Amino acid sequence: MKFHLGKRNLPRHLHSSHQASGMTQAVALVDERYLKWLAGQHGSAPLQLQRHNLMPVLTDLLRQSAPDAQLLRAYLFCEQQVLELCDDVVVRSVPPHAVDDGLGLVRSLGLELNQFAQHGGAGLVLIVSDDERLIPYIDEAQWRGLKVALVSDEGGLDMPKLMTEAPSWARMLLQADRRLALGAPAWEALTVPGAVLQSSRPVAFQPPAAQHERDADSSESYFSNAAPSDDWLEQVRQVIQSWWTEETSDARLDLQEEMQNSQGVPPETDRHLLLRVRRELARTLSFQEKKAMRELIRATVLAPSPAQELPVAG
């Protein structure tokens, strides 16, 4: 074969350019079973985990505790099939805990951790799990230069009490480079449908680039329920109209047909326009802004063309 699968002479260090500018790329490895158990301690039953809020909650946590890091994506290890589409969240299916006592999860999460350590996909990994069998994987990743942070709730960081009640979890926390705690506002966002995350606690240090991005986001956080302003709508409408003008006639017809038979926006189109709008605004969009953007896309694509509006000769 011309290309040798699985062979890589020079590992890719995707985070090197960010480290040069003082930013470290991070990813999150989330054991959904453990996250649900933790969330259940803070939410009402029956628990309905708000997966779409996972990435923003972890991003907010990282801004508070590690302002020099940027969260790229989260890998969610699930025992059940997930059909929900969440931005920047990659789902990994694992066997139910009752089938193999969680061994499949440990192997899958541990392999993912080793991949990042070997190939340089990140400089910092957040782990949301309490399985002590991950300690050898964490230790190996740390030997390869990867920083590992464990995420828990605020009550889980009382080490003297934890060493008595859950010594295995305490040992795992001691192995980590950092320990991050999700507060009550984060648990509300993860457990209550439609909940709005409260503003983050102030950060002691902010690099200039990160501070500029934070200032740009201050008026509209991801969780804001405020409706977009008329100026914002007009600015985004121009971006979408510019994109629509650039599309070929065949591409327009394909999109029109696809959207007429669906309720949303095709994923590729959604990602492309989300990137264009982000670049235009120079900031991240809030949940309500993303919703409004998709409505504008559908309105633009499904609007009748001048040829379609011509009266039929009688």
Side-chain angles (χ1 to χ4, degrees):
M1 295 177 62
K2 183 178 180 180
F3 300 101
H4 302 282
L5 300 179
K7 182 178 180 181
R8 181 181 296 155
N9 294 327
L10 295 176
R12 295 180 301 171
H13 292 280
L14 303 179
H15 60 286
S16 58
S17 61
H18 290 263
Q19 287 180 329
S21 60
M23 297 294 290
T24 299
Q25 289 189 339
V27 296
L29 306 178
V30 182
D31 173 3
E32 187 180 60
R33 181 174 179 271
Y34 173 65
L35 181 64
K36 284 184 175 179
W37 179 84
L38 269 183
Q41 314 303 308
H42 302 269
S44 57
L47 173 66
Q48 184 180 358
L49 190 65
Q50 306 300 297
R51 293 189 184 96
H52 63 277
N53 280 345
L54 175 62
M55 187 66 179
V57 163
L58 292 176
T59 299
D60 189 71
L61 175 66
L62 201 58
R63 285 176 179 170
Q64 301 171 40
S65 51
D68 59 334
Q70 175 190 23
L71 188 62
L72 292 177
R73 68 182 61 86
Y75 292 85
L76 188 63
F77 297 82
C78 304
E79 298 179 355
Q80 299 176 342
Q81 186 180 30
V82 177
L83 300 179
E84 180 182 2
L85 297 177
C86 302
D87 292 343
D88 302 319
V89 176
V90 179
V91 176
R92 296 281 193 256
S93 297
V94 295
H97 191 274
V99 172
D100 64 353
D101 195 31
L103 184 59
L105 164 74
V106 172
R107 288 175 175 171
S108 182
L109 198 153
L111 176 62
E112 205 82 50
L113 183 61
N114 280 344
Q115 290 291 322
F116 285 114
Q118 291 178 24
H119 304 306
L124 171 67
V125 173
L126 309 182
I127 297 180
V128 186
S129 180
D130 67 339
D131 199 310
E132 185 185 13
R133 292 172 292 183
L134 289 171
I135 291 180
Y137 292 99
I138 295 174
D139 189 50
E140 176 69 17
Q142 289 171 322
W143 272 106
R144 292 178 179 272
L146 190 67
K147 283 188 174 292
V148 178
L150 291 181
V151 179
S152 179
D153 59 358
E154 293 173 334
L157 300 184
D158 185 349
M159 290 303 295
K161 180 180 179 182
L162 202 63
M163 189 61 77
T164 302
E165 298 180 352
S168 63
W169 176 228
R171 286 192 294 269
M172 194 169 171
L173 288 172
L174 290 171
Q175 178 69 41
D177 295 292
R178 299 183 184 184
R179 289 145 291 273
L180 311 181
L182 292 170
W187 293 117
E188 183 179 358
L190 288 171
T191 58
V192 180
V196 177
L197 185 69
Q198 300 300 317
S199 59
S200 305
R201 288 169 290 184
V203 180
F205 167 75
Q206 278 280 30
Q211 181 64 47
H212 174 75
E213 180 180 354
R214 190 175 182 87
D215 291 342
D217 288 346
S218 60
S219 60
E220 288 284 341
S221 70
Y222 182 94
F223 294 95
S224 174
N225 278 330
S229 65
D230 292 340
D231 290 340
W232 184 94
L233 291 171
E234 182 58 32
Q235 191 174 4
V236 173
R237 187 181 289 109
Q238 291 178 5
V239 174
I240 295 172
Q241 189 60 51
S242 175
W243 156 78
W244 188 238
T245 303
E246 296 168 4
E247 292 292 306
T248 64
S249 57
D250 290 340
R252 292 183 193 176
L253 290 173
D254 290 341
L255 275 172
Q256 286 173 342
E257 183 177 351
E258 186 172 358
M259 288 196 194
Q260 284 172 352
N261 299 321
S262 66
Q263 296 295 323
V265 175
E268 291 185 4
T269 302
D270 185 67
R271 286 193 293 268
H272 174 71
L273 282 172
L274 184 60
L275 180 60
R276 289 182 67 149
V277 172
R278 280 176 177 172
R279 288 174 176 172
E280 178 68 21
L281 301 178
R283 65 173 177 82
T284 304
L285 275 65
S286 71
F287 178 78
Q288 292 296 333
E289 287 174 338
K290 287 182 179 180
K291 182 179 178 182
M293 183 198 74
R294 288 160 185 151
E295 291 175 353
L296 289 174
I297 295 173
R298 287 187 62 84
T300 300
V301 173
L302 298 178
S305 63
Q308 293 174 319
E309 293 179 339
L310 291 176
V312 180

